[in-house]
Amino acid sequence: MNITLKQIKAFVVVAQQESFMAACEILHISQPALSIAIKNLEQEVGGALLSRTTRAVVLTPEGELFLPTAKRLLQEWNDAFDDLSQSFALEHGILSIAAMPSFASSLVPSYLKKFRESYPQVKIKLHDVIAENAVQMVCDGQVELALVFEVPDSPQLDFIPLFEDKFVAAVSQYYEVTTQAITWQQLLSSPFIALQNPSNIRAQIEALLVQNELAFEVEFEANQLATIGQMVASGLGVSAVPSLCAPQFEALGAQCLALESPAITRHVGIVTQHRKPLSVAAQSFIGQLVEMYR
Amino acid sequence: MNITLKQIKAFVVVAQQESFMAACEILHISQPALSIAIKNLEQEVGGALLSRTTRAVVLTPEGELFLPTAKRLLQEWNDAFDDLSQSFALEHGILSIAAMPSFASSLVPSYLKKFRESYPQVKIKLHDVIAENAVQMVCDGQVELALVFEVPDSPQLDFIPLFEDKFVAAVSQYYEVTTQAITWQQLLSSPFIALQNPSNIRAQIEALLVQNELAFEVEFEANQLATIGQMVASGLGVSAVPSLCAPQFEALGAQCLALESPAITRHVGIVTQHRKPLSVAAQSFIGQLVEMYR
DNA sequence: CGATCTTACGGGATTCGTAAACATA
DNA sequence: TATGTTTACGAATCCCGTAAGATCG
């Protein structure tokens, strides 16, 4: 059974026009072509749908019965493909991403703003969760991509670096400094305020300090970066955060200084599931980011 | 936008098989043909539906979204045409007909039985109404055909004669007769039992008698032929009915005699709407009847 | 007789299949 | 390297359009 969409369209138009002549103008084909199309259709379905005399074309009872069905089929067909085309044209759809808090609360909003300006119809779901969970969400397929620190090489994940981030020291405005940069040793002489575990930032700091045999005592802990920032600004103590957070910390009244001996630098970028195709929305978003940092 | 059913079928099969190789065996085409079909489909909709590497074929997010829709489209397509084909194959459908009472209660049931034996899946609606209404129902399109006495020529109606019916005299079993045939004059010497108006039979009798200047007095009236038959059988009086009804009347205990001077003969046949196509069910039914009386 | 649908036939586009090239694990 | 997809190209098929034929009002 080999019935064509064209044949159904032809049938519907002829039925509505009650004339082959009139129909073939709408369909932009010649009468013979139309005639044959209908004839083939009727042969396929095993009976006449239209009764033609030279003066009038009327539907057979079976044709009458089939006409609404045919219209429905065409309608659904068009709806389905319009929808699909719209998805590709980014005229609707959902972009589902995750970002680690330090990133989500700093640069990501501006990325989303830019993306939204290009594709205002695409809805955006941003999950701001700790880096570990963000990556897990990529693995689980809950989000298409995560914006996090570089992850260890994994056969299941791909990483696209965007830029390099360097940890900075966060100190109160009244913290006395002679140079623009301070060392970890200097920093740790003040009470240290750290993020609570689990946290990628906390883990990185701990790993680094253990590696460098630096004494490390946490005097205060909090969950949210904003809280840490506030605590630092209040003069409770000092902290070390990705430079990503510097503007936010400074806005809260803290002071951010270059931090060395040793410096912690990490790539920040996009994690996606390896070999899993991305939606055009995700592709476009990644494209914008890569372009921005190229 | 020119998307083919084949392309959708191809997409669905490839998506299910997750392999072009496997899919093309199911589809009975070569890999290149399949590859091109999918490629064209993707071009039409404006984006990739499948992500292919040499080892695996996976759906893109858009393809994932579209797959159920595609399946649904195919399903509905097939359902629609199966249904239509079944209509033509008389594997279902409805035959809607009307018949005048004298016909409906005599020969029509046997016609229906025969039709039903040929096409057991076709439902039958029989409207047994007076001839006038039966014809009206044809004009209104409520039924496709009516089984009645011949109607006056009309541009809106067609008539296919089946056989000729001759009115017979219905008398009681004890009615004394010398010959097989009696005249109207003889008949009318007994009390006459007539159908109530409106009735085609009544009208024909009245017209005939007026035309032949025969005295006509109705002693009893009833609506149903069966009632008339019972009344005649009981010896209340006599009547004149189409020979169609003779078996029924005789079964009720009446006696039917040829009726002459003058004889009333009328064609009995099929009335249809002029130039209105008939369902295959109606066509088959008419075909059986015509064949039967040919 | 005129308008309209159908059949006949040549040209063009699309699609198919075979063979070779290409890409990835 | 082996499997599986894509490109190249010749061939078949299908569909369309022009012209002639048939049919009904």
Side-chain angles (χ1 to χ4, degrees), chain B residues 25 28 64 69 81 88 90 96 106 113 129-130 135 146 162 168 186 201 205 215 223 229 247 260 262 284:
Chain B
E25 287 195 6
H28 304 295
E64 198 98 44
T69 306
F81 288 105
F88 285 123
L90 288 171
S96 227
S106 53
K113 182 151 186 284
V129 297
I130 62 170
V135 171
L162 291 176
V168 294
Q186 282 179 291
I201 292 172
I205 291 170
N223 254 312
E260 288 170 1
S284 302

Side-chain angles (χ1 to χ4, degrees), chain B residues 4-290:
Chain B
T4 312
L5 267 177
K6 278 186 195 167
Q7 291 172 333
I8 304 304
K9 281 183 197 165
F11 165 67
V12 170
V13 173
V14 172
Q16 287 173 337
Q17 297 296 316
E18 296 192 339
S19 156
F20 278 56
M21 205 71 168
C24 68
E25 287 195 6
I26 295 175
L27 294 165
H28 304 295
I29 58 173
S30 64
Q31 293 106 323
L34 179 58
S35 185
I36 288 172
I38 298 285
K39 186 183 140 202
N40 289 340
L41 171 60
E42 289 181 326
Q43 195 172 323
E44 292 283 351
V45 299
L49 295 170
L50 296 163
S51 172
R52 330 108 152 98
T53 69
T54 56
R55 288 290 166 190
V57 173
V58 290
L59 288 163
T60 62
E62 289 82 7
E64 198 98 44
L65 217 63
F66 181 60
L67 180 58
T69 306
K71 283 184 183 172
R72 183 175 53 80
L73 286 177
L74 288 181
Q75 186 65 46
E76 288 181 356
W77 187 271
N78 288 329
D79 287 351
F81 288 105
D82 284 352
D83 208 54
L84 187 54
S85 294
Q86 280 196 343
S87 291
F88 285 123
L90 288 171
E91 285 164 10
H92 68 23
I94 294 178
L95 176 63
S96 227
I97 66 179
M100 59 182 181
S102 55
F103 207 3
S105 63
S106 53
L107 296 177
V108 171
S110 67
Y111 302 160
L112 297 183
K113 182 151 186 284
K114 181 172 180 207
F115 181 78
R116 191 71 202 242
E117 279 164 3
S118 304
Y119 308 109
Q121 316 282 9
V122 178
K123 303 216 185 321
I124 297 169
K125 270 195 195 168
L126 171 62
H127 301 258
D128 57 329
V129 297
I130 62 170
E132 203 174 28
N133 289 353
V135 171
Q136 189 57 47
M137 291 180 84
V138 171
C139 293
D140 296 349
Q142 294 177 61
V143 296
E144 292 199 73
L145 56 92
L147 300 169
V148 290
F149 283 124
E150 182 163 14
V151 288
D153 266 353
S154 153
Q156 295 191 358
L157 296 173
D158 289 332
F159 181 76
I160 303 168
L162 291 176
F163 58 84
E164 206 168 55
D165 185 88
K166 193 171 170 181
F167 271 52
V168 294
V171 299
S172 90
Q173 269 185 305
Y174 312 107
Y175 191 91
E176 290 175 15
V177 284
T178 51
T179 57
Q180 282 295 331
I182 66 172
T183 64
W184 274 97
Q185 202 158 21
Q186 282 179 291
L187 187 66
L188 291 176
S189 64
S190 303
F192 197 83
I193 309 172
L195 280 166
Q196 284 172 359
N197 276 315
S199 153
N200 189 284
I201 292 172
R202 169 74 176 262
Q204 286 189 38
I205 291 170
E206 285 187 354
L208 176 104
L209 296 182
V210 166
Q211 195 182 329
N212 288 271
E213 295 175 358
L214 283 162
F216 177 56
E217 197 140 346
V218 174
E219 306 280 341
F220 302 95
E221 286 188 333
N223 254 312
Q224 308 280 334
L225 278 166
T227 310
I228 308 275
Q230 202 58 258
M231 290 167 85
V232 169
S234 315
L236 273 176
V238 300
S239 192
V241 295
S243 62
L244 269 176
C245 307
Q248 186 186 358
F249 270 54
E250 281 163 358
L252 290 170
Q255 195 181 168
C256 290
L257 307 169
L259 181 56
E260 288 170 1
S261 310
I264 305 183
T265 62
R266 288 287 182 279
H267 281 292
V268 174
I270 305 163
V271 170
T272 57
Q273 210 171 326
H274 182 58
R275 196 164 302 289
K276 169 148 185 178
L278 295 166
S279 68
V280 285
Q283 287 174 40
S284 302
F285 184 62
I286 291 175
Q288 285 193 348
L289 294 189
V290 169

Side-chain angles (χ1 to χ4, degrees), chain A residues 84-107:
Chain A
L84 187 54
S85 294
Q86 279 197 344
S87 291
F88 284 122
L90 288 171
E91 285 164 9
H92 66 26
I94 294 177
L95 175 64
S96 226
I97 67 178
M100 59 182 181
S102 55
F103 207 2
S105 63
S106 53
L107 296 177

